[in-house]
Amino acid sequence: MLQTINQILSKEKKLAIGLMSGTSLDGIDVAVLEISHSNSEMDIQLIAFETIPYTQQEKQDILQLCQPSTSTVDKICAWNVKLGHKFAKAATKVVTNAGMDISQIDFVGSHGQTIYHSPDEQATLQIGELAVIAEETGVLTVGDFRPSDMAVGGQGAPLVPFVDYLLFASEEKNRVLLNIGGISNISVLPKKAQPDEIIAFDTGPGNVLLDAIVRIVTEGEKRYDEGGSLASGGRVSQDWLTKMMREDSYLDQDIPKSTGREYYTTQKAQSLYEEGRTQGLSDPDIIATISAYTAHSIADQLYRFVEPVCQIDEIIVSGGGAHNGFILRELEKTTKIQVQIMEDLGFSSDAKEAVAFAVLGYQFLHGLPNTLPSATGARRQVSMGKLAFPLKKSSF
Amino acid sequence: MLQTINQILSKEKKLAIGLMSGTSLDGIDVAVLEISHSNSEMDIQLIAFETIPYTQQEKQDILQLCQPSTSTVDKICAWNVKLGHKFAKAATKVVTNAGMDISQIDFVGSHGQTIYHSPDEQATLQIGELAVIAEETGVLTVGDFRPSDMAVGGQGAPLVPFVDYLLFASEEKNRVLLNIGGISNISVLPKKAQPDEIIAFDTGPGNVLLDAIVRIVTEGEKRYDEGGSLASGGRVSQDWLTKMMREDSYLDQDIPKSTGREYYTTQKAQSLYEEGRTQGLSDPDIIATISAYTAHSIADQLYRFVEPVCQIDEIIVSGGGAHNGFILRELEKTTKIQVQIMEDLGFSSDAKEAVAFAVLGYQFLHGLPNTLPSATGARRQVSMGKLAFPLKKSSF
């Protein structure tokens, strides 16, 4: 194992795979990248990125694992292995599609699939067995990051701000990195910031409510509002928007904080949709207002928690929401801050989270910290992760 | 991390803690030991051993996690962390009791608490969060062994035969190492054996049925039959014993094989007890017959699967059953083979399994294999385990 790690670290450029599957359960994000140097000098180059989608059946089965009422130990165990195989296959496929061979890869950093996250109990569970990924790909695998931060009192989230800090902190600008996934989260990177100056937290809903309502409205035909086109055909109900914002107690919570599907549930989306209909709103109006809810809750959180300490120069958006023009326009209109997408900086929005978990794994292999206690609320920095390695040959 | 591992490996003698909690849910076994050399040259010296018992409530709560009908994802996650803390505290306590400081320990090898094991699905789950153990003790921790063997088609069990082979293989004698825990398992070590000549499998019931019936008979006053004294006051019903053996389909299964609480359930113990009563047997007779069932099922499996390939010279017994004189006598009577307990060889019966997981962790840190495919049915040897390490100081 030591030999393997030493070999990896002695290379100037390391080939890595980052694997991520978010709460939106769209599929497995696979990033293939080249990494060199570490800490703030880190340099990355994206080689390939694909999302290997889950089938509807898989999505439903995994959702069952996330609910205490339908989750059972046998199903959790079986899916841990099943997803391990699926992650390994996804990694191999994307590497092959990129004209490379899996044996060229130095290491895998895998987030896994979160099926439970409860910071109050310091409890979290990401499945997708690391031993299966390591043995099936033949590549050293680092993953299961969140429990390490929780072990020192952190919320185990958000983790990406550390990577935002390494890759995007600027000498000249106060930047906000905004990721609109199922949930929206931000990393505030004041210019010339030290690690303990980074503010990061989940701002509230991303696409989680919106996607659920799009599925209701289109009777399952569409899974999300592509480009924000459905929202653009409607009108935002200011009254209802104000009411939703007021009733969202997460927005009032102090930072650092994190949230998830446990709060922004499918049932919540369902009852919001019904509420909209009761108020006589059309489907496009409902979708527009729910989209505005995402943008305005982000603006609200910036106003409450960020502006008092740091005047923002620009917002850089990644995640599925970066493709939703309606949300981006609402955000710019409300915040009066320049909104860019990650592509404007030469990075891939879609690949960002998968890349991040390769970066966390890379720091782990160097024995370096890979957390920001200012973001997670942990008592101290740790080097999150667990390592599984495939035995190349029996030496026995 | 590399530095830490290099430091550990450069020492001639390494101080380790082995942590194990078995299916009998008695408590957490903590072994503190000194290890030197690796593979067949390995040498170990036990420094301290204690079992930190679970409370009745804890035992009940953990049992709930093991049953699909009562297990839920939130409880599993919460207990994973709770047991992590309990394992860390147990380790620290035993080290302190031995007059040492936890900072002297080089590494921890932790088996965790199995709450599910289903080889057919390649699925298994041991809880007791490694990141919590590592961060709370400040000691590098290796654990979560079983999934790695399952990832290459193994049953993820039995794991101890590998350690039996390293520590007990003899130049002169064909030995059987027998562990009577909740389940009984054997490692057959022919003299001068190569790794692929080792036969190992679960033979069937250990104390799992016996303990359950002792609790029924004593109305919970006794948790096991100390020294076999209850059994010694009764008489074995040969007819009923023969019937039980005939009806036990696990005994007919081909090797390699493993079993657990999923087959030898509390319900099975309950209905066996009722069956005994219906046949007019006294409580001591029932206990004697159930104890004989343990001994005779072991003898049966030796006769069917071991004697055809290797004539056994001696049986060396460890585990809780090593203290049950009644079972040992029945075993010797039935097999006509010399039965010794581990103490006769200068080792501790009780500490054996906890020691084993320190040994597996030790091989992992050396990047060496720590499995016997001939025992687990795996396609090849792997270096099982995952590593979590505490960050000594932030270098950021």
Side-chain angles (χ1 to χ4, degrees), chain A residues 1-2 5-6 9 39-40 65-69 71-78 80-81 85 115-117 121-125 129-132 135-136 144 147-152 162 165-166 195 363-370 372 380-383 385-391 393-396, chain B residues 1-2 5-6 9 39-40 65-69 71-78 80-81 85 115-117 121-125 129-132 135-136 144 147-152 162 165-166 195 363-370 372 380-383 385-391 393-396:
Chain A
M1 177 181 58
L2 279 184
I5 301 178
N6 269 322
L9 300 190
N39 288 347
S40 312
L65 307 178
C66 306
Q67 311 267 5
S69 59
S71 62
T72 55
V73 67
D74 52 338
K75 283 189 272 180
I76 293 170
C77 284
N80 180 43
V81 173
H85 286 293
I115 61 165
Y116 195 72
H117 188 72
E121 303 166 289
Q122 272 118 48
T124 188
L125 185 54
E129 179 53 47
L130 300 180
V132 170
E135 294 298 343
E136 200 170 311
D144 205 14
S148 309
D149 179 72
M150 286 183 149
V152 291
F162 175 82
Y165 172 64
L166 291 196
Q363 291 278 115
F364 175 92
L365 287 178
H366 283 80
L368 291 169
N370 54 13
L372 286 179
R380 56 184 169 83
Q381 277 197 303
V382 292
S383 189
K386 298 198 182 84
L387 177 151
F389 82 98
L391 198 64
K393 60 171 172 47
S394 297
S395 49
F396 201 81
Chain B
M1 176 181 61
L2 279 185
I5 302 178
N6 269 322
L9 299 190
N39 288 345
S40 312
L65 308 178
C66 306
Q67 311 268 4
S69 59
S71 63
T72 55
V73 66
D74 52 339
K75 283 190 272 180
I76 293 171
C77 284
N80 180 41
V81 173
H85 287 293
I115 61 166
Y116 195 72
H117 188 73
E121 302 166 289
Q122 272 117 49
T124 188
L125 186 54
E129 179 53 48
L130 300 179
V132 170
E135 293 298 341
E136 199 170 312
D144 204 16
S148 310
D149 178 72
M150 285 182 151
V152 291
F162 175 82
Y165 172 63
L166 290 195
Q363 291 277 117
F364 175 92
L365 287 178
H366 282 79
L368 292 169
N370 55 12
L372 286 178
R380 55 184 171 85
Q381 277 198 303
V382 293
S383 189
K386 298 196 183 85
L387 177 150
F389 81 99
L391 198 63
K393 58 171 172 52
S394 296
S395 48
F396 201 78

Side-chain angles (χ1 to χ4, degrees), chain B residues 22 28 32 89 98-99 108 116 145 148 189 193 212 223 303 325 342 378:
Chain B
I28 303 163
V32 184
K89 278 199 185 63
V108 171
Y116 195 72
F145 297 102
S148 310
L189 310 172
R223 292 166 68 171
Y303 178 76
M342 192 134 281

Side-chain angles (χ1 to χ4, degrees), chain A residues 228-306:
Chain A
S229 64
L230 295 177
S232 301
R235 239 183 35 182
V236 175
S237 158
Q238 289 300 336
D239 287 353
W240 189 35
L241 175 58
T242 308
K243 178 169 177 286
M244 276 192 281
M245 300 273 296
R246 207 178 44 229
E247 287 176 355
D248 186 336
S249 68
Y250 178 73
L251 303 180
D252 295 328
Q253 265 183 49
D254 246 340
I255 59 166
K257 61 182 174 181
S258 61
T259 186
R261 251 173 215 288
E262 291 77 29
Y263 185 72
Y264 296 103
T265 59
T266 311
Q267 291 89 315
K268 182 164 179 156
Q270 179 71 42
S271 57
L272 281 177
Y273 175 69
E274 283 158 17
E275 196 179 317
R277 295 298 298 183
T278 310
Q279 297 185 13
L281 298 181
S282 69
D283 285 349
D285 290 352
I286 293 175
I287 291 174
T289 311
I290 295 292
S291 304
Y293 178 20
T294 292
H296 285 249
S297 58
I298 295 164
D300 168 81
Q301 299 292 290
L302 291 175
Y303 177 76
R304 286 206 228 182
F305 298 111
V306 181

Side-chain angles (χ1 to χ4, degrees), chain B residues 112-327:
Chain B
Q113 175 68 55
T114 296
I115 61 166
Y116 195 72
H117 188 73
S118 172
D120 293 346
E121 302 166 289
Q122 272 117 49
T124 188
L125 186 54
Q126 283 74 47
I127 60 171
E129 179 53 48
L130 300 179
V132 170
I133 300 174
E135 293 298 341
E136 199 170 312
T137 59
V139 181
L140 186 147
T141 300
V142 182
D144 204 16
F145 297 102
R146 298 193 193 269
S148 310
D149 178 72
M150 285 182 151
V152 291
Q155 300 232 338
L159 303 187
V160 176
F162 175 82
V163 181
D164 288 338
Y165 172 63
L166 290 195
L167 301 178
F168 297 105
S170 156
E171 290 291 304
E172 295 94 28
K173 286 179 177 173
N174 295 323
R175 280 181 169 164
V176 165
L177 276 274
L178 164 65
N179 188 73
I180 308 177
I183 300 298
S184 293
N185 57 69
I186 58 167
S187 307
V188 183
L189 310 172
K191 56 187 168 194
K192 305 185 170 86
Q194 292 302 304
D196 59 0
E197 294 173 273
I198 310 302
I199 303 169
F201 59 95
D202 290 347
T203 57
N207 305 313
V208 60
L209 299 172
L210 179 58
D211 288 356
I213 289 178
V214 166
R215 279 195 300 275
I216 296 170
V217 167
T218 65
E219 287 172 348
E221 209 187 291
K222 293 186 187 220
R223 292 166 68 171
Y224 62 98
D225 182 14
E226 204 178 336
S229 63
L230 295 177
S232 301
R235 240 182 36 180
V236 174
S237 159
Q238 288 301 335
D239 286 353
W240 190 35
L241 175 58
T242 307
K243 178 169 177 287
M244 276 193 280
M245 300 272 296
R246 207 178 43 227
E247 287 175 355
D248 186 336
S249 68
Y250 178 74
L251 303 181
D252 295 329
Q253 265 183 49
D254 247 338
I255 60 166
K257 60 181 174 181
S258 61
T259 186
R261 252 175 215 287
E262 291 78 27
Y263 185 73
Y264 296 103
T265 60
T266 312
Q267 291 89 314
K268 180 164 181 159
Q270 179 71 43
S271 58
L272 282 177
Y273 175 70
E274 282 157 18
E275 195 179 318
R277 296 297 299 184
T278 311
Q279 298 185 10
L281 298 181
S282 70
D283 285 350
D285 290 353
I286 292 174
I287 291 174
T289 311
I290 295 292
S291 304
Y293 178 19
T294 291
H296 284 250
S297 58
I298 295 164
D300 168 82
Q301 299 291 290
L302 290 176
Y303 178 76
R304 284 207 231 182
F305 298 111
V306 181
E307 291 287 351
V309 292
C310 168
Q311 182 133 26
I312 308 160
D313 295 316
E314 60 184 18
I315 301 173
I316 300 158
V317 188
S318 61
H323 305 298
N324 188 315
F326 185 86
I327 292 180

Side-chain angles (χ1 to χ4, degrees), chain A residues 43-78:
Chain A
D43 198 29
I44 67 156
Q45 202 65 47
L46 187 65
I47 297 171
F49 175 77
E50 283 186 54
T51 302
I52 310 298
Y54 289 132
T55 63
Q56 271 308 105
Q57 186 60 53
E58 285 170 338
K59 193 165 168 169
Q60 276 170 32
D61 289 347
I62 298 169
L63 272 174
Q64 285 216 330
L65 307 178
C66 306
Q67 311 267 5
S69 59
T70 52
S71 62
T72 55
V73 67
D74 52 338
K75 283 189 272 180
I76 293 170
C77 284

Side-chain angles (χ1 to χ4, degrees), chain B residues 56-66 75 79 82:
Chain B
Q56 271 308 107
Q57 186 60 54
E58 285 171 338
K59 193 166 165 169
Q60 276 170 31
D61 289 348
I62 298 169
L63 272 174
Q64 285 215 329
L65 308 178
C66 306
K75 283 190 272 180
W79 271 96
K82 205 164 167 177

